[in-house]
Amino acid sequence: GRAGRRSEGDGGEAEGREACGCGCGQSPDEDRQGSVEAEQAERRRGGGGGGGRAGPPPPPAELAKELEFPDAPSTDYNARPPPAGADAITRATTDPEALATCEAHVAELQSLAKRGEISIADAVNLAVLEEMLRDPTTVCHAEDLQAGSSYNIPKLTQQTFGKLRGADEIIDEGHFLGKAIGEGMNGYRPIVEMMNTNFAIYAMAEISSAGNTFATTGGQFQMPLTIVGAGGTAPNQALGAEHSQPFHAYIMGIPGLKIGAAASPDAAYGMTKSMIRDNGPCFLFLPVKMMKETKGHAAVGECMPINKCKLVHKASDDAVAGGRAVTVLTYLHGLKECQSVLPEIQAEGLDIDLIELRSLKPLDMETIRDSLARTHKVAILDESTNSGGVGATVSALIHEQCFDLLDAPVKRLCMDDAPVPYASSMEVAVVKRGSDVVKAVFDFMLKKI
């Protein structure tokens, strides 16, 4: 008979009692009784449950925004002191000869920076070494690290600080970025160099985790992680589709992530130092085709804001008064492209407010609005695609927050959605450049926009 049928010696229990379907041997009545007792116990502990003592109040709505970043975007990183006893720890844990070699290299790079002769790549290497000397909890990960990787960004890190603080990694970006996340949650300050930022696509899950950690742990774990690397898409880049993807646009939607772009040695140096000192995850993109050729000054020892744009060139008051000025927003290789065509624009009696978008997220709308209050027209030379690109976000914010200042729609000069070709003859149909900026400025004047 069935399991619940009354037997002769059952003491008169009700006929038809069935065993619980989970196989535990309890009847449904016994199972329900256990659930009731568990609920009552939860109430006694203050967990709610529809009666009894009330549980803790729900967290306030504003806490969500407070948990976006451990450090406010406006933080002054120059005021952030090194850990106590940092210098003594560094000297006690570092080979004296290796340390002397590193310090001599740092002094040489500082001299180049002061003379205006340092490259973007060397400026980042200088920032990394200075911060590793300053803070013994700072560590570095990179592929080909011991050989300096492709652009010397991690040069001398392993030779100076050893294999624990300077880790030469296997070709698995998700693997070593995951290691860095663990370090960040346990009191270290990791720096991860991506040989090319497009390779970071293989660490997308880890980047997302880094951005969310501070919030998902209720602020219990900070994530002082800095990712830096060369990327972007320059005209005539000839690197093909796989190495020319706009990864900076791919990660724009990851919460808790500060994203920057630096197209000069000064910006690369100052922003790298600030990001390393920040207690949250930061990603700095550098222009792959300008890493060694672009040289200039860097303000040695100074951290730079990582939430601000830079007005690189201001249109003349005469051009503004005559309605012959346009605001141009750009970043990475776009800065060089715009600077190269500026004389051509000015030769026609026109001018531009050229703004470098050094902070892609958060976006410095104050600087953009101040420029639009002068020019009332804006073009965006965007190193990402028409669909889901950085320019799409910037354009939307301008229309939402600065619509009253516009005399014409925003003009987006963005990459086509097609993969970037290797052949320059085909690439011109996908990647925008300085000549497109000239045409856009002229079109504004001719009322074609």
Side-chain angles (χ1 to χ4, degrees):
R2 61 193 181 93
R5 182 168 303 198
R6 185 174 63 179
S7 65
E8 292 182 359
D10 65 2
E13 290 184 355
E15 181 178 358
R17 188 180 72 177
E18 296 184 2
C20 176
C22 71
C24 67
Q26 291 182 315
S27 72
D29 286 340
E30 290 170 335
D31 195 42
R32 282 192 293 272
Q33 179 64 28
S35 298
V36 170
E37 290 173 353
E39 184 176 355
Q40 289 173 339
E42 178 67 16
R43 287 176 182 171
R44 288 193 295 271
R45 288 194 297 268
R53 190 172 67 186
E62 57 268 22
L63 182 59
K65 195 63 178 174
E66 292 175 12
L67 290 173
E68 183 178 12
F69 304 120
D71 291 338
S74 59
T75 297
D76 179 7
Y77 299 96
N78 291 298
R80 182 153 287 173
D87 184 65
I89 295 171
T90 296
R91 296 190 178 281
T93 56
T94 308
D95 177 74
E97 184 177 346
L99 184 60
T101 299
C102 178
E103 290 175 332
H105 176 66
V106 166
E108 180 183 355
L109 293 181
Q110 289 175 338
S111 178
L112 290 174
K114 293 173 182 177
R115 298 200 308 265
E117 299 173 3
I118 195 167
S119 67
I120 291 175
D122 284 343
V124 178
N125 176 232
L126 174 60
V128 168
L129 291 176
E130 285 181 344
E131 293 303 306
M132 292 186 75
L133 288 167
R134 175 182 179 274
D135 184 348
T137 67
T138 305
V139 298
C140 187
H141 300 264
E143 296 162 338
D144 283 347
L145 175 138
Q146 192 173 18
S149 190
S150 292
Y151 303 102
N152 279 342
I153 286 175
K155 182 177 179 179
L156 288 186
T157 54
Q158 187 178 100
Q159 291 88 337
T160 305
F161 305 105
K163 294 182 179 180
L164 290 179
R165 292 188 61 194
D168 202 338
E169 297 292 356
I170 62 173
I171 304 177
D172 185 347
E173 288 72 18
H175 166 76
F176 60 83
L177 189 51
K179 288 169 59 177
I181 288 174
E183 290 169 338
M185 295 180 73
N186 285 278
Y188 290 89
R189 197 166 288 276
I191 306 163
V192 176
E193 190 244 2
M194 292 291 168
M195 188 178 292
N196 185 293
T197 54
N198 286 283
F199 301 159
I201 197 168
Y202 300 106
M204 181 67 88
E206 286 76 14
I207 296 172
S208 176
S209 178
N212 284 285
T213 294
F214 184 65
T216 55
T217 62
Q220 296 180 78
F221 286 92
Q222 295 179 337
M223 184 52 65
L225 166 66
T226 301
I227 308 171
V228 61
T233 309
N236 302 309
Q237 182 160 290
L239 291 178
E242 293 291 341
H243 287 59
S244 303
Q245 298 180 73
F247 191 72
H248 48 282
Y250 296 176
I251 61 173
M252 283 282 284
I254 294 178
L257 198 63
K258 293 173 184 172
I259 306 172
S264 67
D266 190 42
Y269 172 80
M271 293 179 72
T272 297
K273 289 179 74 72
S274 293
M275 288 185 172
I276 293 172
R277 297 186 191 186
D278 191 275
N279 287 316
C282 302
F283 203 135
L284 182 61
F285 289 84
L286 307 167
V288 66
K289 284 296 185 177
M290 298 167 57
M291 294 294 288
K292 297 179 180 179
E293 68 176 46
T294 300
K295 298 182 178 181
H297 288 89
V300 174
E302 293 186 19
C303 296
M304 187 172 289
I306 55 176
N307 68 326
K308 290 294 181 181
C309 300
K310 172 70 173 180
L311 180 60
V312 178
H313 172 80
K314 187 175 182 179
S316 69
D317 292 338
D318 181 65
V320 170
R324 303 188 307 277
V326 177
T327 297
V328 177
L329 309 176
T330 193
Y331 57 97
L332 294 179
H333 303 93
L335 181 63
K336 179 182 177 182
E337 288 294 307
C338 290
Q339 289 174 321
S340 70
V341 298
L342 183 56
E344 183 179 350
I345 293 172
Q346 292 175 320
E348 298 296 327
L350 312 177
D351 212 340
I352 61 174
D353 268 4
L354 177 57
I355 296 177
E356 180 188 3
L357 300 178
R358 291 181 175 178
S359 177
L360 300 182
K361 195 178 84 167
L363 190 66
D364 178 12
M365 289 302 297
E366 181 181 2
T367 299
I368 295 172
R369 186 177 181 87
D370 287 347
S371 177
L372 288 177
R374 301 174 68 242
T375 68
H376 307 289
K377 298 173 284 290
V378 58
I380 306 170
L381 180 56
D382 181 18
E383 219 158 299
S384 59
T385 50
N386 180 64
S387 299
V390 171
T393 297
V394 176
S395 176
L397 289 172
I398 290 173
H399 279 112
E400 290 171 1
Q401 300 182 24
C402 307
F403 185 76
D404 57 316
L405 299 175
L406 296 176
D407 287 345
V410 175
K411 178 62 176 177
R412 292 169 55 202
L413 306 170
C414 49
M415 292 165 54
D416 190 84
D417 286 345
V420 178
Y422 180 87
S424 295
S425 58
M426 296 169 62
E427 184 208 74
V428 71
V430 177
V431 180
K432 297 297 187 291
R433 56 205 70 212
S435 56
D436 296 294
V437 175
V438 174
K439 183 179 185 304
V441 171
F442 288 176
D443 285 349
F444 272 120
M445 298 304 120
L446 297 173
K447 309 295 184 183
K448 292 183 178 181
I449 298 177

